[in-house]
Amino acid sequence: MTKELTTAIANSIRNRWDHDVLSDFQGITLTGREVAQQIEQIHIILKESDIRPGDKIALCARNSTAWATAFLGAMTYGAVVVPLLHEFRPENVEHLVSHSGARILFTEQSIFDHLDENRISSLDGAILIPEMKLAFSRSKKLTAAVENIDSLFSHRFSKGFSPEDVSYKAVNQAHLALINYTSGSTGNSKGVMLSYGNLWSNVRFGMKRIDFLHQGDGMLSMLPLAHMYGLVFEFLFPLCKGCHITFLGRVPSPKVVLKAFAEVRPKLVITVPLVIEKIVKGNVFPILRKPMMKMLLAIPGVRDIVYKKVRVQLLEAFGGQLQQLILGGAAVSSDVEEFLRRIKFPFTVGYGMTECAPLVTYEWWATQRPHSCGRLVDGMEARVDSPDPVNIPGILHVRGANVMQGYFKNDEATAEALDNKGWLNTGDICTIDSDGYVYLRGRDKNMILSSSGQNVYPEEIEVKLNNLPMVAESVVVDRDGKIVALVHPDYDSGLKQKLTEAEIEQRVQENLAELNRQLPAYSHVNRIEIHKEAFEKTPKHSIRRFLYK
């Protein structure tokens, strides 16, 4: 197997020269040749503009083929890419571009229109994608390079552009590849510094362990490419595998996603639990809970037939070729997880974090254990701060080739997270069984110390609460020594049942007794507070918990 990332990318592009490599859903498609040409044009622009390897290049745009080729062009040149979520507010984008010291910004017109170029003084200029036109420039060399890129490319490849011209210099694995700013579910963004070796460790793991993907297979990219989960496992890994990647590039509404699945027919789907939970809770459970269906499910032989039919229909909804659905970013509701296991649906739950580029644990669906998030990926070590890691939860620490170099311009935060032996404090509380399966309990920062001195993990209460009637989502907090549940009711479901808003909220309140029946006495919830608006979330759909303390 190839030993580093830029070589793997070059090999894949050459192998797919006349084949489809990148597509925008219901938009353009690029062959390997066209991807390579766009990468070379970016190389020329950067070189002509006196950008050096190691300089920072910011990228803030929606998922698209243009985003992908801009990223590949900057990274294979040796620049440090700074991918920024296009959902960030303009002032956040300005701050992070300046904080990173980026010299060039690739962005879209609709995003640039809300930026103040005077507040991003580090930039030589900004380039609009996909047009590859200047938004503004402070550099004559950059202006000349962008405006004359076609003639510069023709001059450089006067004898034609061929697969032999695709050769990206191997980069020292310890060199910085990108700075990824976290989306801030617990507060301010921090710039995670990831090396080429960090990225390659996860891409290589995917190529080795997710072996059912082959050249030409379709891959649907739905997660933000500015997040490591989407960047590595919906883009870089399938690119190196030779897959044909289609970028959704829009809000993943159920109608749009189902149409995209039908067209792309992916073998692998990577998403957040919310997607499958909406499908199961919104379309499957209401049918299975009808009186006639309940009666049929009580008959063992008939139950197996019903479950098999549901499984087939779910697989068809994902395009009919699905071999594994990987969920990550949040806990899966227990009723949905148990149902999917009952019908033998090919899903697994992984765990990762930006600081690990991103994967920490994974397991093939058939050998995954209930409520676990898998086992450590290859080359990682783990320790749990607990006298008995199998039975007593403790903070998870990990070490390995995928662990970050630190936080950009933030030595204090780096020292808190990384010790001098390379161990990363994940801040997540877990147990690990004797076979190495990891079971997450919650975040250390979120843990509540009960009045009796017991550790209470809000996330565990939320999973139970979210399974109860008329609860859309919840946040459990400590209020003056009392455990309080903030609940956003499932108004849509209630209105379909012709309930009034007051009746829906009353049903939510009636869940308190049942919730506490399921909980140990020390973690009983004192009261439920109705939260009429949906909780504010990060682009990965994590609730910004710090707003609701």
Side-chain angles (χ1 to χ4, degrees), residues 56 98-101 181 191 193 406-412 414:
K56 315 298 190 303
S98 297
H99 184 267
S100 69
Y181 286 93
M193 297 189 293
Y407 297 111
F408 187 61
K409 296 180 180 177
N410 196 335
D411 293 341
E412 184 179 351
T414 300

Side-chain angles (χ1 to χ4, degrees), residues 395-411:
I395 298 174
L396 175 67
H397 295 250
V398 294
R399 180 169 67 178
N402 55 338
V403 173
M404 68 168 182
Q405 296 182 333
Y407 297 111
F408 187 61
K409 296 180 180 177
N410 196 335
D411 293 341

Side-chain angles (χ1 to χ4, degrees), residues 520-537:
Y522 64 80
S523 63
H524 277 186
V525 173
N526 180 265
R527 67 180 183 275
I528 290 175
E529 293 181 2
I530 300 297
H531 203 271
K532 290 185 179 291
E533 302 297 325
F535 297 111
E536 187 174 330
K537 299 177 184 68

Side-chain angles (χ1 to χ4, degrees), residues 204-215 217 237 241 267-268 323-324 362 364:
R204 181 179 57 198
F205 174 82
M207 294 177 73
K208 177 182 176 183
R209 293 287 301 277
I210 305 177
D211 56 4
F212 55 84
L213 281 185
H214 302 101
Q215 278 198 14
D217 284 344
F237 150 62
K241 270 279 190 175
K267 291 181 179 178
L268 173 69
Q323 294 196 32
Q324 179 153 267
Y362 165 86
W364 174 245

Side-chain angles (χ1 to χ4, degrees), residues 20 93 112 172 196 218 300 332 362 386 399 415 516 532:
D20 295 343
V93 174
F112 183 76
N172 186 314
Y196 285 86
V332 185
Y362 165 86
S386 166
R399 180 169 67 178
N516 285 334
K532 290 185 179 291

